Amino acid sequence: MTERRPAPLLDLLDWKRRVFDLYEEVRSAPDPVVAWELWRATRDRMMREHPQSPIPPGQRDAFGGLRYFEYDRSFRVLAEVEEAEPERLEVVTSRDGAYAFTRFGRARFELAGENASLDLLWLEGYGGGVFVSFRDATSGRETYGAGRYLWDTVKGADLGLEDGLMVLDFNFAYNPSCAYDPRWDCPLAPPGSRLEIPVTAGERAP
């Protein structure tokens, strides 16, 4: 009997379930380094084996794993959420399109001895979700030029809260799908998501 694979939309559903499960384990892990190692191993496996992997099918057999900086605890911070007057934004994408977001707040934190902040966006499509991306001084050099993602709750990427503060662990920063294949259409880091310092944590350029 010929094996029948699920339809692409069911593959996507399976991918999302796996990501949601992974981040639940990340949030519940007692040590962020242990969580990070699990996150890395799981992402490598999904990138190599899953039908919804953003890595083109012809390149998966040769895929040797994603590239990261070493875990650095100083890049795990807790951010105060500052509310903002809701502002609708059209965030440009990697394929010259745009996604509608609402900027609802600002995450304020200290990183590398400096005060920093990132916009908190709410995706207007797909039922909504929190989205936090960033560019930094490594973008276009050591890391993907269009920026990296920290939170994307529509896709399951949710690092959670601690004592009412937002967890921003830059060691879990990851590349959008368009970093691996230009056929993917990904929102890019908008102006309110720029950091002046080099974030030498998280995923490196492919």
Side-chain angles (χ1 to χ4, degrees):
M1 176 181 288
T2 302
E3 181 181 0
R4 299 185 65 183
R5 289 184 57 255
L9 287 179
L10 294 183
D11 286 337
L12 177 59
L13 176 61
D14 181 70
W15 174 278
K16 292 179 68 171
R17 281 176 175 159
R18 290 171 188 249
V19 175
F20 272 93
D21 290 346
L22 172 59
Y23 275 83
E24 183 176 1
E25 291 189 73
V26 165
R27 292 191 299 272
S28 63
D31 184 345
V33 178
V34 173
W36 180 72
E37 291 171 346
L38 169 67
W39 179 77
R40 285 188 57 177
T42 303
R43 292 192 71 225
D44 276 353
R45 184 170 62 253
M46 291 177 66
M47 289 288 199
R48 183 183 303 108
E49 300 174 0
H50 200 280
Q52 281 288 315
S53 169
I55 295 176
Q59 299 176 21
R60 292 175 194 169
D61 287 345
F63 174 69
L66 302 172
R67 301 170 61 242
Y68 297 88
F69 294 97
E70 290 299 316
Y71 193 95
D72 185 338
R73 291 182 185 271
S74 69
F75 281 103
R76 185 185 190 274
V77 299
L78 300 180
E80 293 186 2
V81 175
E82 177 183 275
E83 291 188 18
E85 187 71 24
E87 179 184 358
R88 192 176 190 275
L89 303 175
E90 292 289 330
V91 176
V92 298
T93 71
S94 56
R95 297 185 66 183
D96 298 324
Y99 285 119
F101 288 87
T102 296
R103 186 175 72 91
F104 68 91
R106 192 96 175 140
R108 297 196 178 277
F109 51 95
E110 184 176 298
L111 192 65
E114 297 187 17
N115 293 326
S117 64
L118 290 171
D119 276 350
L120 302 178
L121 306 182
W122 184 265
L123 179 63
E124 293 299 326
Y126 304 107
V130 177
F131 179 69
V132 182
S133 62
F134 71 97
R135 291 188 65 198
D136 67 282
T138 70
S139 300
R141 299 179 177 87
E142 297 162 280
T143 62
Y144 184 54
R148 293 179 284 168
Y149 295 173
L150 275 178
W151 282 58
D152 187 3
T153 64
V154 170
K155 303 287 182 61
D158 177 358
L159 292 170
L161 304 175
E162 288 188 13
D163 300 322
L165 300 175
M166 192 172 192
V167 177
L168 298 180
D169 191 336
F170 290 88
N171 295 284
F172 288 83
Y174 64 95
N175 294 331
S177 297
C178 53
Y180 313 104
D181 188 339
R183 71 185 177 90
W184 295 87
D185 195 20
C186 307
L188 308 180
S193 302
R194 310 290 170 87
L195 299 173
E196 298 299 324
I197 64 173
V199 178
T200 52
E203 190 176 351
R204 292 176 177 264

